[in-house]
Every structure is written in C-alpha cells, then in structure tokens.
Amino acid sequence: MHAWQIVDDWKRENLKRVELPNPDPGRGQVLLEMRAAALNYRDLIVPLRGYGRKTGTLPLIPVSDGVGVVVAHGEGVSAPAIGTRVCPLFMPRWQGGEATGAKIDATLGGPLDGVMREFMAVDANAVHAVPEHLDDTQAATLPVAALTAWSAVVTHGQVRPGARVLVQGTGGVSLFALQFARAAGARVFVLSGDDAKLARAIDMGAEAGLNYRQTPAWGSEVKAWAGGDGVDLVVEVGGEKTLGESLRAVRVGGEIALIGVLSGGRFDIPLGPVVTRHVRLQGITVGHRDGFAAMCAAIGEHRLVPTVDRVFPFDALHEALDHLAAGRHFGKVCVSL
Ligand SMILES: NC(=O)c1ccc[n+]([C@@H]2O[C@H](COP(=O)([O-])OP(=O)(O)OC[C@H]3O[C@@H](n4cnc5c(N)ncnc54)[C@H](OP(=O)(O)O)[C@@H]3O)[C@@H](O)[C@H]2O)c1
C-alpha cells in the first residue's frame, strides 16, 4: 500500500512516500480503507521529534487525524459494520472517565503510527462512526481539533446559554470552539491576527472580535465586552504571550482552558489574581471516546460543518504541511487519501 513514513532520522526531509505491505486485522480489530486526513499543529513538530521520547521511534507513519471505511473484521468483531465510515481515535486507550498516564500516552501519529496510509488495522473499540452529513475531509478533522474544542467548551467548560467565551485565533481548534459555544447558546469573542479572518469568524457567529497584533493588550477590551466582569471561559491556544491577557479577560470564578502554547510554553504571570479571583486553569489533552460520541451526536443534531481551508492530494503532504506552517489558513488543512 502507499504510505508516508518518517525514516532514518528526525528531519522534515526524511518524511517520505513509501510502499508498505497491506495490514491484516488481528483479533478484535477492524481494517480501515483510509479516505482523508487532516493536519494539526503537532504534525509539524512530530517529524522533528518535538515531543521528545514521547514522539515514538522510527520509522513512523505520521498524522493523527483521519477518516476511513471499515472494509474487514478481525476475529471476534462484528461492529462497526462493514462500510461504516469511522475515525480512528487519537487516544485509543482513553475510552472515558478521568485521564491517566496510561490512557493518554498512546496517541496516533506519534508514538503510534498515524493515518497517512491506504489501510490501517485498529482495535474495534478505538474507532467511532462519524456524522453522515459530513464529507470525508470534513469528517477527518474530528479526532484532535474538534474533540479538543469539545472537551474545553462542553466537558470541562460546561458552557451554558448566555455564557461569554473568548476564542483565540482562527485555527482548527478555535473555530470548532466557536461553533460548539454558539451551538450551546453562548456569546463568543474572537481574536485574530488578520482582519479578513476576523470578519469570517464573525460571519460564523462570533459577536465581536479584535486583532491581537493591533491591540496586544486586549484583556481589558474583552472584559468590557463581557459587561465589565469578564468572560466565563477562555479557549487558550497562545500560551506564554497570551495567558496574562487571558487572566485580565476572565471573570472571577471563570475558567481558562489551556490548550496550546503557540507563542511559547513558559509562564511568568502574577499568581495572586489566579488565587484571589478564583480562576480555574484547566489543562486539556484532546479527549476520550465518550466525548467523541457526544460530540458527533451534537454535530449531527446541529448539522455543524467543520471549516476546511484547503484539501491537498496524497502526494502533496509536504506542500500541505508548508501551507499549515505559513499560518494563512482559516480552519483545517486536509489531505485526500
Ligand atoms: N492540548 C490539546 O489537546 C491540543 C489539541 C490540539 C491542538 N493543540 C494546540 O493548540 C494550538 C492550536 O492548534 P490548532 O491545530 O488549532 O492550530 P492552527 O490550526 O495552526 O491554528 C493556530 C491559530 O492560532 C492563532 N494564533 C497564533 N498565535 C496567536 C496569538 N499569539 N494569539 C492568539 N491567537 C494566535 C492563529 O490565528 P489567526 O491566524 O487568526 O491569527 C493561528 O491560525 C497548538 O499549539 C496546538 O499544538 C493542543
């Protein structure tokens, strides 16, 4: 089968097109014929061994997010039925409940082999059917970006109608957070470094927005938008250079969902306001199968459609990664398989 692998050494140029034997589904597994993949920020850093030893070993099939069709059952498996379109779950061992190291350490696209291949054999309980109204590239975006946003907004954030939510940026996670918060009846403020993207996010239902390049001290403006007391939830993807402003923007007793560290991963913030203002800092690591099931039900019920920026052909994985790295995308960058 056709596949992509990182071979020999951890360098981007060692991400190569290869031919591999077709896998057979083992006991308890299903065989998937892959249809589409979607890129995440992590796919840029895995080829550089960006997660240290947790990145895995070489050779490694890259990319975490994908969708495929069940084409065969291994011994002892009868569901999902042949022909069902499913996503392999990013954290196959986290079926539900609280996170533990053992549940969240094994992840697709490093250290486990990812989705950039024609066929993959996976445990039957590590896949989940996708909403029928989505096309293949839209469905491929769900396992990491959408589930992370769902965990932040719904599982942990418990956003209710009328809640005020701050979403940073217009990348994959952030646009899903915008969609889920709006579907829950919340009001959304969006930040972007690009005015045209801000306008698009407002078209999608955000109530207001600000360009974080033009207004780097946006915290007090967001707080004022929220009626002076601050937002209930911040979907934090910036990290080092944004967390201080997020602390200004959040209300007493509000939550900051710590998801990404795009502007750096070290914190130098005054801790006093976190304590005295009763702020919850909630780390998010994607989510579990139960969350994925609930999210798919909500996407189906609300007919939500993921925002796909661009779809590249299978052979153009490097071009797709370059497009993601350039940061001009709005929503998800996908690859057709
Ligand atoms: N914890 C988890 O489970 C988890 C899961 C998925 C992703 N992540 C992390 O979350 C982050 C976002 O992932 P993604 O896949 O959504 O990335 P993405 O699609 O590449 O989107 C990144 C977007 O963030 C915005 N941004 C960059 N710097 C910013 C800043 N200083 N202030 C506000 N916004 C800023 C930009 O939006 P504009 O172009 O509009 O300015 C950019 O397009 C990454 O760090 C990723 O590793 C974590």
Side-chain angles (χ1 to χ4, degrees):
M1 65 173 177
H2 305 313
W4 283 87
Q5 260 183 342
I6 309 161
V7 294
D8 301 332
D9 195 7
W10 297 97
K11 289 183 193 150
R12 190 39 208 283
E13 55 268 36
N14 284 358
L15 175 56
K16 296 201 165 132
R17 273 278 273 106
V18 293
E19 293 298 317
L20 297 174
N22 282 9
D24 287 321
R27 185 173 173 78
Q29 291 192 314
V30 289
L31 183 68
L32 307 182
E33 184 177 22
M34 300 308 291
R35 289 277 182 81
L39 301 183
N40 289 288
Y41 188 78
R42 78 187 303 281
D43 300 317
L44 292 172
I45 55 182
V46 161
L48 313 177
R49 199 170 180 262
Y51 295 97
R53 66 180 172 76
K54 289 191 172 177
T55 320
T57 53
L58 297 178
L60 178 76
I61 299 173
V63 181
S64 305
D65 277 354
V67 70
V69 176
V70 177
V71 291
H73 287 156
E75 206 185 320
V77 174
S78 55
I82 305 285
T84 310
R85 226 163 34 122
V86 297
C87 282
L89 302 174
F90 174 62
M91 293 172 167
R93 295 183 197 148
W94 194 10
Q95 299 280 313
E98 293 290 312
T100 65
K103 288 178 184 176
I104 68 174
D105 279 355
T107 54
L108 293 195
L112 304 176
D113 276 331
V115 302
M116 286 302 291
R117 43 181 155 163
E118 274 184 281
F119 295 98
M120 63 189 286
V122 275
D123 289 349
N125 68 357
V127 301
H128 195 281
V130 295
E132 284 178 8
H133 71 285
L134 303 184
D135 69 23
D136 289 339
T137 43
Q138 291 162 352
T141 66
L142 301 181
V144 172
L147 185 53
T148 301
W150 179 265
S151 296
V153 171
V154 179
T155 312
H156 291 286
Q158 299 191 7
V159 160
R160 302 271 186 271
R164 298 142 305 174
V165 176
L166 170 65
V167 168
Q168 295 176 349
T170 58
V173 173
S174 304
L175 290 187
F176 276 117
L178 162 58
Q179 288 178 296
F180 295 146
R182 290 295 295 135
R187 298 167 55 205
V188 176
F189 193 105
V190 63
L191 298 173
S192 176
D194 180 313
D195 288 344
K197 291 183 181 182
L198 271 182
R200 289 181 71 183
I202 285 168
D203 275 351
M204 286 175 66
E207 185 179 297
L210 251 187
N211 186 318
Y212 59 79
R213 293 187 210 282
Q214 289 161 12
T215 313
W218 38 262
S220 49
E221 302 223 17
V222 174
K223 190 172 181 174
W225 167 80
D229 56 345
V231 295
D232 301 278
L233 175 70
V234 178
V235 178
E236 172 74 49
V237 298
E240 188 168 320
K241 296 202 168 55
T242 52
L243 188 59
E245 290 305 310
S246 296
L247 277 169
R248 267 178 209 106
V250 74
R251 72 164 165 83
V252 172
E255 178 163 318
I256 299 178
L258 288 174
I259 292 173
V261 290
L262 286 165
S263 65
R266 304 193 74 83
F267 292 167
D268 180 12
I269 53 164
L271 292 174
V274 179
V275 178
T276 57
R277 300 184 66 243
H278 214 76
V279 173
R280 285 192 311 285
L281 298 176
Q282 174 65 54
I284 303 283
T285 44
V286 189
H288 45 57
R289 182 194 170 86
D290 288 348
F292 192 88
M295 176 187 78
C296 286
I299 289 173
E301 184 66 25
H302 291 276
R303 309 290 290 179
L304 298 180
V305 177
T307 306
V308 173
D309 174 81
R310 199 164 150 192
V311 184
F312 288 81
F314 182 75
D315 283 337
L317 178 58
H318 278 287
E319 288 84 341
L321 288 167
D322 289 344
H323 181 65
L324 182 71
R328 284 188 293 274
H329 58 288
F330 182 85
K332 296 300 298 179
V333 179
C334 296
V335 180
S336 168
L337 300 185

